[in-house]
Amino acid sequence: GAGVSQSPSNKVTEKGKDVELRCDPISGHTALYWYRQSLGQGLEFLIYFQGNSAPDKSGLPSDRFSAERTGGSVSTLTIQRTQQEDSAVYLCASSPTEYSYTFGSGTRLTVV
Amino acid sequence: GQQLNQSPQSMFIQEGEDVSMNCTSSSIFNTWLWYKQDPGEGPVLLIALYKAGELTSNGRLTAQFGITRKDSFLNISASIPSDVGIYFCAGSTGTASKLTFGTGTRLQVTL
């Protein structure tokens, strides 16, 4: 597609449940990133995929968070046993080999 | 995680005024980027800077990459209502590597 697509746009889940967030990057972009944005805050790096290299997971806040990227394209961010502090907007971005990212519109996750 | 220090946190200005915001870091970056985020949307790239000392313009926007590689500023001239939003600086240490984002400057423009 023309841009980075994320789904769902909004997700409300009960504390303790697992959630999956999806990102469809721009076709041909080799790099894919997940960031988290808490209310009124900047963006916090979570994980980065580049081609076939091992992902950089250094930003994942706990082992409840994981992500995969299948076939070098679509990525899924999974949060297990969600907690209220996981509530945030989760943003995905993709990038060609140059520096500039293109962000999706994000998934707003609310844990109740 | 690490965040860049961005100031001011928020600004209320009148339409037509010029705006200046800056970003500082304790670390050196090879690339500085400025993004704008509208409500309910992801950030959109405004300007990218690749060399220390570089001054780049994009319409009414001008940004500079500090000589020390630890800071950058963004100027907006003759502000208009659609400039309202949150502006983020971001730094990168390498090609397509993860970005470290600033804390954001919320800009409000009054008529």
Side-chain angles (χ1 to χ4, degrees):
Chain A
V4 177
S5 177
Q6 290 188 246
S7 60
S9 55
N10 281 284
K11 176 74 176 178
V12 180
T13 190
E14 291 182 350
K15 178 181 172 182
K17 295 284 179 70
D18 298 351
V19 294
E20 284 190 352
L21 312 179
R22 178 186 168 105
C23 174
D24 282 274
I26 293 173
S27 177
H29 280 193
T30 58
L32 186 148
Y33 311 80
W34 285 96
Y35 283 80
R36 178 170 71 175
Q37 186 175 29
S38 301
L39 186 63
Q41 300 295 313
L43 281 72
E44 175 190 5
F45 168 76
L46 296 177
I47 188 169
Y48 156 49
F49 297 89
Q50 172 62 283
N52 295 321
S53 303
D56 177 350
K57 304 179 183 179
S58 60
L60 294 178
S62 77
D63 58 9
R64 295 187 296 105
F65 288 73
S66 63
E68 62 177 22
R69 188 178 185 192
T70 54
S73 181
V74 171
S75 177
T76 302
L77 177 69
T78 301
I79 308 173
Q80 296 178 311
R81 305 181 302 281
T82 52
Q83 304 293 314
Q84 287 186 328
E85 62 263 28
D86 299 334
S87 297
V89 175
Y90 289 81
L91 289 160
C92 174
S94 70
S95 174
T97 55
E98 293 78 27
Y99 292 92
S100 60
Y101 289 10
T102 301
F103 280 91
S105 297
T107 294
R108 181 175 297 277
L109 176 66
T110 304
V111 182
V112 298
Chain B
Q2 178 192 5
Q3 285 195 332
L4 304 175
N5 294 316
Q6 196 171 336
S7 64
Q9 284 188 324
S10 62
M11 304 180 73
F12 290 82
I13 63 168
Q14 289 196 323
E15 184 177 8
E17 288 185 348
D18 296 344
V19 173
S20 185
M21 59 191 78
N22 64 52
C23 200
T24 60
S25 169
S26 57
S27 304
I28 289 174
F29 290 107
N30 296 327
T31 302
W32 281 92
L33 305 160
W34 285 90
Y35 286 85
K36 177 176 183 260
Q37 186 176 30
D38 292 327
E41 299 294 327
V44 174
L45 180 67
L46 299 174
I47 288 182
L49 302 157
Y50 303 116
K51 289 184 188 176
E54 180 180 356
L55 184 72
T56 297
S57 294
N58 178 9
R60 294 179 296 108
L61 278 58
T62 301
Q64 184 156 31
F65 190 147
I67 288 292
T68 65
R69 295 198 284 158
K70 291 184 178 181
D71 63 323
S72 177
F73 73 73
L74 174 70
N75 287 342
I76 305 172
S77 63
S79 58
I80 59 178
S82 62
D83 290 335
V84 167
I86 303 176
Y87 292 79
F88 290 100
C89 61
S92 169
T93 57
T95 303
S97 69
K98 62 187 180 187
L99 292 179
T100 300
F101 279 83
T103 46
T105 294
R106 183 180 297 273
L107 179 63
Q108 307 230 27
V109 179
T110 58
L111 299 176

